[in-house]
Amino acid sequence: MTSDNQPRPAANSPARQPATGTPAPASRAAGSATETASVSPVPAQPGAGAGGAGAPGAAPAHPASAAVPSQGAAPEVWSAEVLRSDDALDTLADEWDDLAGRCATATSFQAAAWVRSWWRQYGRPGGLVVVTVRRDGRLVGAAALRRRGPFGGLTNLGAGLVDFTDVLLDDGCADRAAAELAAALPLRRPWHSLELREVHPEAAVQRVFEAWPGRRHRLADSLCQYLPAVPMDELLKRLPGRTAQRSRVKQRKIAESGVRVSSATPEQVPEAVRELLALHFLQWQERGVTAEHRTERFAAHLIESTTGLVATGRAAVHRYELDGEPVAVNLLLLCPSFGGLYMYGAHPKLRERLDIAGLLFGVALDEVRGRGIPVLSLLRGQEPYKQRWRPDQLPNQRLVLGPGRLAPAAAARACRVRVRQTAARLISTRLPRLKEALLARRRS
């Protein structure tokens, strides 16, 4: 858990080159639905960019390309906008997904289907803030944010429903696009702040964090867990001898059970998701279900977003039938870097007969391997059924940005987070029964 005012490379990622140049003039209409920052043309250099930032409190950096264009070459033009209309994501949908396809770190949570659906169900009118960056008119950077509180606070979309938050940056000019996006963020007053939850250490927004010239805080967030996308027999080699032997017996039992697995088409997704939710409630009825999962808005969001994700190849819904009856449904998110086990439902009677985790993991591994995806993510949480597989662990991060050298609002928010995290650690390590009681109350 760190707090810093200097550029810090993302974990396991190459260091960025420092940004150079001066900010271009910006014309902003306060309170309008669109704020445009015009950027002077600069020489073209395909694929080039600059990240990093100047000293804390310095003006936003607009780096200029160092290369001199060949005679007759047209200069490229960069521009940025802050869109505040409630239909901004709908208007950008096609461009948004096109950019997501050019951003290697994009996950299903950054797809247009997910962010549009979430905003429709959870957004507050007038609270959407979409920052876009264009290079010669083409969208090369985008961030979907929402207002929080009356004093200019911003945060990511998704709240507790997303396992990874990120922005979209074109891989061909990611550093430059990150610098432009950082300069366009509407953080101008001391009481302004931006908090981003559940950021992967190698997310694209880490470049924006490095390019931000004001106050910055990087703190720990939820722990995520990962398994290599290998055949089940090879995965079992990760387990201790007796555990591996028992798991092999369970896998043979699954193979002999007669369970039939099918993948839902986009047209079949609504019914499959309703089955998933019904089975999810059934399996957790004795231990309590997350309250939000019981709401109509969550069901509407999950159906709409999953339908769009399946239609674009960013998710798969697996249905499991035994003796002609649906006994389990699993939602698997798909992106170039990982497949993620997002949510499942299984009938309690199936648990009495088969190893549910072994059943779901086996099918999920086949899916991601068939698509050339290298990792199966167990996403957030440390449930016992995940720990049995000895997953690799990597914590997400929480990023907090504020304008200027002091940025009191950002500093205060980071301080509150540290206090809560310290209290949570004390409860977890010294008062485990209190932790269990608090979790049970939260689920009820």
Side-chain angles (χ1 to χ4, degrees):
M1 181 171 65
T2 65
S3 173
D4 57 17
N5 290 325
Q6 297 299 323
R8 179 186 299 273
N12 301 321
S13 65
R16 319 293 186 206
Q17 297 299 315
T20 59
T22 57
S27 174
R28 303 188 183 278
S32 64
T34 303
E35 302 170 7
T36 302
S38 59
V39 181
S40 301
V42 298
Q45 186 182 12
H62 281 269
S65 171
V68 177
S70 59
Q71 188 173 4
E76 60 185 30
V77 177
W78 290 77
S79 62
E81 284 185 302
V82 179
L83 309 175
R84 300 180 184 273
S85 60
D86 289 333
D87 64 349
L89 292 172
D90 294 328
T91 303
L92 291 169
D94 291 340
E95 287 185 290
W96 193 278
D97 270 347
D98 180 65
L99 175 57
R102 292 178 274 122
C103 180
T105 64
T107 74
S108 301
F109 299 114
Q110 282 74 60
W114 182 277
V115 295
R116 294 169 67 198
S117 170
W118 188 91
W119 182 253
R120 264 192 280 275
Q121 299 301 326
Y122 292 91
R124 188 183 73 251
L128 183 63
V129 178
V130 179
V131 185
T132 63
V133 174
R134 295 181 181 275
R135 178 189 188 187
D136 292 333
R138 189 186 195 194
L139 190 66
V140 294
L145 309 170
R146 62 183 176 91
R147 294 179 58 190
R148 178 174 58 187
F151 302 114
L154 296 174
T155 189
N156 54 279
L157 303 191
L161 302 183
V162 298
D163 292 80
F164 297 106
T165 290
D166 207 353
V167 301
L168 298 177
L169 299 174
D170 189 320
D171 293 331
C173 54
D175 286 334
R176 173 65 189 270
E180 300 290 346
L181 190 60
L185 290 174
L187 304 176
R188 301 287 181 266
R189 306 299 182 187
W191 53 86
H192 290 172
S193 66
L194 169 61
E195 181 180 20
L196 300 176
R197 296 291 311 274
E198 308 302 349
V199 176
H200 189 278
E202 296 184 1
V205 75
Q206 297 284 2
R207 297 174 186 258
V208 178
F209 181 85
E210 293 173 9
W212 180 247
R215 189 70 177 267
R216 302 172 298 184
H217 304 268
R218 178 186 276 118
L219 306 106
D221 215 330
S222 303
L223 184 70
C224 287
Q225 305 192 90
Y226 305 84
L227 292 171
V230 296
M232 179 60 75
D233 288 343
E234 187 173 341
L235 187 66
L236 294 179
K237 295 177 182 178
R238 299 170 64 94
L239 310 184
R242 291 185 178 180
T243 303
Q245 185 177 1
R246 288 194 297 268
S247 296
R248 289 188 181 93
V249 172
K250 293 176 180 179
Q251 285 296 308
R252 286 196 293 270
K253 191 173 181 180
I254 290 172
E256 298 167 357
S257 67
V259 172
R260 298 183 59 186
V261 184
S262 61
S263 296
T265 65
E267 294 75 22
Q268 295 169 335
V269 164
E271 181 59 28
V273 170
R274 293 187 187 97
E275 290 176 342
L276 185 159
L277 291 173
L279 291 168
H280 184 75
F281 301 153
L282 194 60
Q283 77 182 28
W284 293 106
Q285 61 183 349
E286 295 182 357
R287 288 173 285 181
V289 178
T290 302
E292 181 57 33
H293 291 174
R294 288 188 174 276
T295 65
E296 288 296 325
R297 67 179 182 178
F298 177 75
H301 163 59
L302 200 63
I303 289 172
E304 180 184 352
S305 62
T306 304
T307 300
L309 293 175
V310 170
T312 55
R314 293 181 170 92
V317 179
H318 297 142
R319 297 181 70 255
Y320 300 77
E321 292 186 359
L322 185 61
D323 300 327
E325 295 293 329
V327 291
V329 182
N330 184 40
L331 171 55
L332 178 68
L333 303 180
L334 301 166
C335 61
S337 57
F338 71 87
L341 293 160
Y342 184 70
M343 189 177 187
Y344 78 96
H347 198 288
K349 292 183 178 179
L350 182 65
R351 191 177 301 277
E352 298 171 2
R353 298 177 58 177
L354 298 175
D355 174 21
I356 301 297
L359 175 65
L360 301 182
F361 284 22
V363 175
L365 284 170
D366 289 342
E367 181 81 46
V368 298
R369 289 177 58 239
R371 294 174 180 255
I373 298 172
V375 171
L376 178 64
S377 175
L378 310 185
L379 302 181
R380 294 176 295 164
Q382 302 180 60
E383 295 89 340
Y385 78 90
K386 296 180 180 179
Q387 303 307 106
R388 177 185 123 204
W389 298 86
R390 304 296 194 271
D392 300 320
Q393 298 182 338
L394 183 66
N396 283 342
Q397 299 175 357
R398 183 189 304 225
L399 306 182
V400 182
L401 305 179
R405 186 180 298 275
L406 298 178
R413 177 159 292 279
C415 182
R416 287 195 295 270
V417 171
R418 291 191 187 95
V419 170
R420 287 198 299 267
Q421 290 180 340
T422 300
R425 281 196 298 272
L426 290 174
I427 291 174
S428 178
T429 56
R430 300 186 182 183
L431 300 169
R433 291 185 178 178
L434 177 59
K435 176 185 176 182
E436 293 176 3
L438 292 173
L439 289 175
R441 181 178 179 182
R442 184 178 180 181
R443 287 193 296 263
S444 63

